[in-house]
Structure formats: structure tokens, C-alpha cells
């Protein structure tokens, strides 16, 4: 077909300094821009950087730009463009006004252009995790009207109405579809209605419909477990969850399979560690979710002397269905001996800022979105970095394992080292693990080559 019309929750091209895990925005980014490196189920593959080498000690990395990489206005992409783009991200703040963690990761790194085609990263310590970081950077330039729409990807933006509609056209000749029309519709039910009426060819994020999604056979359906984790931070600095026994008891008390089935209508899978089954380290870790065992939870909780009166905090959205999940979790915790008070925050950006300030009560529902195992450990678990999302988890063995993983350079060594971290955190949880949502799209049956990856991004084969 020459034109593919898709319905997305959002249609937007964010400023070059903005990094996002929004599946709608990522779908457009992957069509128009290229990541510096491509992430695929925990592994890193070539993208704008066609190849790379590193020193034996992992402190120096050389990345070569794909030959002929050209922006959609005809400008050749050179190392200076890449470095300016990275510098912009390092100076920027996120949607909540917080400085990106990337500035901390790269605080001691020197990024230079060896020539127009080669970017060099030098760091005082081994830094194979630069691969994960670069997989989140999609190089972009501003057009003459200030819109952030110039990339080096397979489609160029022909027209763009922010938050409403975008028309993309294929750069290469003789490939289908020649054109993609993206239409914004915030309501999942209305996106599905657009598909059933024939107004669009495909609709994304249909897992967010109200009630149970009926996947009738009029359409082709695609599903993928998302790398995002729906979880509860546990306050490990003060209160009952300073105790490892209490943290494990909380995990044993909650039937995550029930949450997946009843609240997410079967469109979720239980978590087993701080990351999804598709993060680096999980392939070889072979973990299972912590079993639902309220009797053992009661026994463990009885060993803890701290008060069992706790405050559970939740926003009204982000993650999806947060209030419903919070009510079920509160009931489950009360069944094993906790006394739970639920506190609701209606201002979602302020809620995130509160969690960043460690104003979380005793447990607070959140979502963990980075597809990098390194990033989650560094931002949320490490008691050395004590970064913005760290909530007081301080375990010497966990920190030793993180240090070993951070020093690993070769792919097999990294996989094994991160597997050891994730296995330890399965047995010694810093959070209350819940579920990973399943993303769903539907399309007309005659359209071939559409699928979604584990980031929820629509791909065209």
C-alpha cells in the first residue's frame, strides 16, 4: 500500500534535548530519526553508529558514523553534529524539571571528534554502559521554522501539526509504504473506533481501552510485553521497610498474577526483579516471580519489631490503573498484618518531584521505564550514587555486584555480571515487584509487516 494511516495516543516531535519512553513518540522517532545505537532485548546493535571499537580496559570507545548518513535537509551528519546533540541533552532537564541522569553518567567522560566520521569517548574507568546510554539518543536537528523534525531516518516529515497530525514520506524510492499519516487520538476506545470505522489502518496502545479488550478476528493483532515495570518503591531509609524481612513479606503478600488478570485484564505479566525479561542480564538469570505466599509473609512480618502502620501513596495515573492496583495491594498487605492508609496525589508531576525528594510515605507506586539495566541500577538501586530515584536501599552485597557489572566490558561478561545483580535482587527485593504491561495494536488484515517491539514501538518490516 502506498499510504499507511495510524492512530496514536500522541503525535509529537519533542525538542532534541528531550528523551522519552512514550510509545507513541518513540514510534514517530524511530521512523524519522536514528538512535546512535539500536537497543534490542538487552543487546546493542548498529544504527547511526555503524560500528565501534574499544580499548582492552574499556575506558576508550570509538564510534563510526554510518557512511552517507544525511539529514533530511541534505546536510551530511558529522561527528560535530553528534557531539552538539549529546551536549544539549547533558545540559537539559526532564518534564519534571529535574536534570537528566545522563549528565551524571558522563560527568567524567571526554567526548571528542577524531574526524568527521568518528566520535571518541574517553572515561577514567571502564564504561561499556556507554552502549546502553547511546541507544537512548536519537539524533535530531531543528528545521528552519524551529520544529525538531530533521533526522537521518527512513522517513522525512512532510507536514506536522503538533498534538494532532503528521505526514511522513519515505526517503528511499520504491519502498512501501511511501507515506505514513499519523493521527493523534488520546482515547484508546476512540482509536479502536477509528480502526473499526475504516478511518485508519492501524491503532496502537489498545491495551488502554476501558474494560476488557475483545480481539475479534476482523483485524490482525500484535502484542508485546513492555520493558516498563509497574512497581512500588519501598522506603528503605525509615520505617518498617528498612527491614529486608518486611520487604520480602510485602512481595510475598501480593498476588501479582491476580493484578495482571483482574486489573490489567490479562494484558500484563508478573515481574521477578527490577527489570523486565528483556533487559540485559535477564536472558541468563532465568528468574521466576516471587511466589504468592501470604502465610510465609505473616511469619516474616512477625519477626519485624517496627510498627506495621504504613502509608501507601499513589497518583491517579502513570502508571496506568494506579488507584485500582493500590487498593488491591493495600488489601493484600492488610491481610498479612500491615495497617495501610492510602494517600492519593492528583498532581502527577508534583508526585514525581515528591518521590525524587524522598517524600514517599512507606511505599509509593511508580513505573520504571529505562530499557538499560545499568541505568536502573545506577538511578534507583545503588547506595554509592544515591541518585534521584534511590529510596535508601543499602545492601553491601548488592553494591559489590553492581560494581562488578559496571566494570565488565565484553558482552558475555556484562550479561553474566548483570544476571548476578538481578538474581540477588530477586531474593533481596528493594521494591514491591508487580507487573510489566503488554502493549497491543490492531491493523487491517491485508497490511503486512507491522509489529511492535518490547518498547511498545510500532515497526515496519
Amino acid at each position: 500500500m502506498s499510504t499507511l494511516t495510524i492512530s496514536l495516543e500522541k503525535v509529537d516531535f519533542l525538542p532534541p534535548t528531550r528523551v522519552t519512553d512514550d510509545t507513541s513518540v518513540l514510534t514517530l522517532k524511530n521512523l524519522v530519526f536514528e538512535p546512535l545505537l539500536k537497543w534490542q532485548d538487552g543487546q546493542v546493535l548498529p544504527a547511526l553508529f555503524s560500528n565501534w571499537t574499544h580499548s582492552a580496559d574499556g575506558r576508550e570507545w570509538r564510534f563510526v558514523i554510518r557512511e552517507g548518513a544525511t539529514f533530511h535537509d541534505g546536510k551530511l551528519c558529522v561527528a560535530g553534529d553528534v557531539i552538539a546533540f549529546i551536549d544539549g541533552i547533558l545540559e537539559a532537564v526532564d518534564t519534571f524539571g529535574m536534570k537528566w541522569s545522563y549528565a551524571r553518567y558522563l560527568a567524567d567522560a571526554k567526548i571528542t571528534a577524531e574526524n568527521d566520521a568518528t566520535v571518541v569517548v574517553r572515561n577514567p574507568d571502564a564504561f561499556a554502559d556507554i552502549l546502553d546510554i547511546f541507544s537512548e539518543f536519537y539524533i535530531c536537528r531543528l528545521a528552519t521554522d524551529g520544529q525538531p523534525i530533521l533526522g537521518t531516518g527512513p522517513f522525512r516529515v512532510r507536514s506536522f501539526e503538533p498534538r494532532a497530525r503528521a505526514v511522513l514520506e519515505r526517503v528511499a524510492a520504491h519502498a512501501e509504504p511511501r507515506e505514513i499519516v499519523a493521527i493523534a487520538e488520546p482515547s484508546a476506545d476512540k482509536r479502536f473506533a477509528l480502526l473499526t470505522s475504516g478511518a485508519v489502518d492501524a491503532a496502537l496502545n489498545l491495551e488502554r481501552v476501558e474494560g476488557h479488550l475483545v480481539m475479534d478476528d476482523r483485524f490482525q493483532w500484535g502484542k508485546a510485553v513492555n520493558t516498563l515495570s509497574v512497581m512500588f518503591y519501598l522506603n528503605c531509609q525509615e520505617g518498617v521497610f528498612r527491614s529486608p524481612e518486611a520487604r520480602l513479606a510485602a512481595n510475598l503478600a501480593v498476588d501479582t498474577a491476580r493484578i495482571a488478570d483482574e486489573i490489567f485484564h490479562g494484558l500484563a505479566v508478573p515481574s521477578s526483579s527490577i527489570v523486565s525479561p528483556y533487559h540485559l542480564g535477564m536472558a541468563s538469570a532465568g528468574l521466576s516471580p516471587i511466589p504468592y505466599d501470604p502465610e510465609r509473609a505473616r511469619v516474616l512480618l512477625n519477626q519485624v519489631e517496627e510498627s506495621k502502620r504504613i502509608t501507601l501513596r499513589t497518583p491517579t495515573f502513570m502508571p496506568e490503573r494506579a488507584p485500582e492496583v493500590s487498593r488491591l495491594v493495600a488489601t493484600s498487605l492488610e491481610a498479612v498484618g500491615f495497617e495501610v492508609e492510602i494517600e492519593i496525589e492528583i498532581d502527577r508531576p508534583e508526585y514525581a518531584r515528591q518521590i525524587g525528594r524522598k517524600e514517599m510515605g512507606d511505599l509509593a507506586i511508580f513505573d520504571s521505564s529505562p530499557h538499560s539495566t545499568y541505568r536502573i541500577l545506577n538511578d534507583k538501586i545503588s547506595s554509592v550514587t544515591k541518585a534521584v530515584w534511590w529510596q535508601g536501599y543499602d545492601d553491601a552485597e548488592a553494591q559489590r555486584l553492581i560494581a562488578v557489572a559496571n566494570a565488565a566490558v565484553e558482552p558475555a561478561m556484562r550479561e553474566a555480571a548483570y544476571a548476578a545483580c538481578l538474581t540477588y535482587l530477586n531474593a533481596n527485593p528493594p521494591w514491591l515487584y508487580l507487573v510489566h504491561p503488554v502493549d497491543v495494536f490492531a491493523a487491517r488484515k491485508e497490511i503486512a509487516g507491522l509489529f511492535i517491539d518490547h518498547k511498545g514501538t510500532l515497526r515496519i518490516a
Side-chain angles (χ1 to χ4, degrees), residues 117-447:
T118 308
V119 174
V120 180
V121 180
R122 296 182 176 90
N123 200 62
D125 302 305
F127 198 27
D129 300 302
I130 190 65
L131 302 175
D132 291 10
I133 295 167
F134 279 174
S135 72
E136 300 186 3
F137 291 0
Y138 288 73
I139 190 160
C140 165
R141 288 175 51 244
L142 300 179
T144 54
D145 61 358
Q147 296 280 17
I149 58 173
L150 295 178
T152 62
F155 288 84
R156 65 169 63 91
V157 179
R158 191 169 74 214
S159 64
F160 171 46
E161 183 183 345
R163 294 173 292 282
R165 177 185 173 92
V167 179
L168 316 180
E169 61 183 9
R170 178 84 70 168
V171 173
H174 313 300
E176 297 289 344
R178 293 289 306 141
E179 177 183 80
I180 296 177
V181 178
I183 299 171
E185 173 46 68
S187 165
D189 290 275
K190 291 181 180 178
R191 290 196 297 277
F192 193 28
L194 288 171
L195 178 65
T196 57
S197 70
V200 301
D201 301 310
L204 271 67
N205 292 118
L206 295 182
E207 74 283 354
R208 297 174 186 173
V209 300
E210 296 294 331
H212 182 71
L213 176 62
V214 178
M215 299 183 191
D216 65 71
D217 60 6
R218 287 177 294 168
F219 307 104
Q220 60 170 300
W221 294 86
K223 297 192 295 183
V225 176
N226 198 286
T227 54
L228 180 140
S229 298
V230 178
M231 34 67 82
F232 273 88
Y233 280 122
L234 300 177
N235 188 339
C236 302
Q237 297 189 88
E238 57 185 20
V240 67
F241 292 121
R242 290 184 299 176
S243 162
E245 291 78 14
R247 296 196 295 268
L248 181 56
N251 277 272
L252 292 163
V254 177
D255 186 349
T256 55
R258 180 183 172 192
I259 291 175
D261 290 341
E262 294 185 7
I263 298 179
F264 288 86
H265 305 292
L267 295 176
V269 298
S271 305
S272 60
S273 191
I274 61 168
V275 299
S276 78
Y278 306 99
H279 278 72
L280 181 65
M282 286 295 276
S284 55
L287 301 176
S288 298
I290 296 172
Y292 173 54
D293 191 341
E295 289 300 325
R296 186 182 172 207
R298 291 187 194 97
V299 171
L300 284 172
L301 197 58
N302 285 335
Q303 300 172 11
V304 180
E305 296 182 357
E306 289 276 358
S307 169
K308 311 307 187 298
R309 299 186 66 178
I310 57 176
T311 299
L312 181 156
R313 303 200 64 228
T314 180
T316 56
F317 67 99
M318 283 184 67
E320 298 288 325
R321 302 176 172 87
E324 298 94 320
V325 173
S326 295
R327 286 193 292 269
L328 190 152
V329 166
T331 299
S332 300
L333 294 177
E334 287 176 334
V336 301
F338 289 100
E339 299 176 47
V340 185
E341 176 186 4
I342 297 179
E343 186 177 283
I344 298 174
E345 174 59 67
I346 61 173
D347 185 336
R348 182 56 176 80
E350 176 57 21
Y351 181 77
R353 288 188 286 267
Q354 290 166 358
I355 302 304
R357 297 193 299 263
K358 322 305 179 194
E359 299 169 8
M360 60 164 294
D362 294 287
L363 69 165
I365 194 169
F366 219 68
D367 50 28
S368 178
S369 59
H371 60 237
S372 163
T373 304
Y374 163 78
R375 284 198 60 201
I376 295 174
L377 288 166
N378 192 288
D379 286 4
K380 306 175 182 187
I381 305 299
S382 172
S383 56
V384 170
T385 54
K386 296 183 179 179
V388 62
W389 304 120
W390 177 74
Q391 301 298 335
Y393 183 74
D394 191 359
D395 184 294
E397 178 60 11
Q399 194 56 52
R400 184 191 70 80
L401 292 169
I402 291 171
V404 171
N406 291 167
V409 176
E410 297 301 331
M413 294 172 58
R414 292 184 75 217
E415 170 72 21
Y418 280 111
C421 290
L422 300 175
T423 300
Y424 185 81
L425 295 173
N426 170 270
N428 301 273
W431 304 340
L432 171 50
Y433 303 138
L434 296 178
V435 297
H436 308 291
V438 173
D439 291 327
V440 179
F441 84 92
R444 293 194 293 115
K445 280 189 171 181
E446 60 268 30
I447 299 174

